[in-house]
Every structure is written in structure tokens, then in C-alpha cells.
Amino acid sequence: MKRRLILVIGIMVAIGATVFAHTREEAKLTREEAHELIGIIKKELNVEAYEPNLIFLEDGTMEEVEPMRIIKIYDAHDVLLLEAPITKLRQYKNKHLRKLLNASDYLTEYGNTRYYRLDI
């Protein structure tokens, strides 16, 4: 009984590894696809027109209201490909942005900024 259980677990791990390996290859983007997606994202999220929101505090100073999240994607040579401030949850669920993030490797998060690397 124990041998069968070990054999079943081994087969399930092998099948899972095969499925995930195949999925990762499909998620990779070519340089042209990545630049096309970045252009679409910039247009849909209106990244170029982003202006920080400033508020006045009670003591008379101004403070910037930070966006929900800032996403920065770099290429393999550490060149910034996309910096997208996400101000609404709807923007974070953008299908083109999701596709680009799925093809990218998550590096780290600092504050409300997430850093990714896209190997193109």
C-alpha cells in the first residue's frame, strides 16, 4: 500500500511539472510582442498623462497621495520598459498588463512599487 501511494505521488509530481513547464513556455513573449503590449498598456492606462495627486494637510504642507501600486518592468539589460502607476483596481486587472506580468519574473517589492524583469 505504501509503495503504491509513493508511486501515485511521484506520477502526480511528474505530471504537474510537465504541465507547468509547458505553460511557462507559452507565457514567454518575443521582443516585438512585448513592445506591442507595452504600447497598448500605456495607451489604455493613460500612463503618459499621469499626474500625482497633491493634498494640503492641516499644517499647511502639501503631500502626494500615492497610487495604489506602481509597476516597473525592466528588460534583461536593466532598461526600464514600463512604469505604470495603478490608481484604480480596474487598471490592475487590465488583460494586457496581466499578460505582460505573467511573462515577467517578479523581482521584489519596495513600498508600493513592484519590480519585474522581462527577458527579451
Side-chain angles (χ1 to χ4, degrees):
M1 186 69 165
K2 290 182 182 179
R3 290 182 184 167
R4 288 184 183 174
L5 181 62
I6 293 171
L7 180 64
V8 168
I9 291 173
I11 290 172
M12 291 181 74
V13 167
I15 291 172
T18 304
V19 168
F20 284 121
H22 182 67
T23 304
R24 184 68 184 151
E25 288 299 318
E26 291 177 357
K28 291 193 176 194
L29 298 174
T30 64
R31 181 175 295 279
E32 293 78 24
E33 290 173 332
H35 286 295
E36 182 180 329
L37 272 177
I38 290 169
I40 292 171
I41 292 167
K42 284 182 178 180
K43 186 177 179 182
E44 288 180 353
L45 300 183
N46 206 7
V47 171
E48 304 295 327
Y50 172 74
E51 292 182 18
N53 293 332
L54 301 174
I55 60 169
F56 285 100
L57 300 177
E58 292 176 4
D59 61 0
T61 60
M62 284 193 326
E63 185 177 283
E64 179 182 352
V65 177
E66 295 183 4
M68 287 176 38
R69 182 162 319 274
I70 297 174
I71 295 174
K72 292 186 178 187
I73 300 177
Y74 292 87
D75 69 0
H77 304 290
D78 296 329
V79 175
L80 182 63
L81 298 174
L82 176 68
E83 180 176 0
I86 305 299
T87 57
K88 300 174 187 165
L89 187 59
R90 177 176 45 92
Q91 291 175 328
Y92 197 66
K93 292 181 178 183
N94 182 289
K95 67 179 181 178
H96 298 107
L97 180 62
R98 301 283 3 136
K99 184 175 182 178
L100 189 63
L101 292 178
N102 288 339
S104 302
D105 296 322
Y106 173 77
L107 298 176
T108 188
E109 181 173 356
Y110 182 73
N112 70 339
T113 304
R114 286 192 178 174
Y115 297 90
Y116 295 86
R117 182 181 64 225
L118 183 61
D119 292 326
I120 56 171

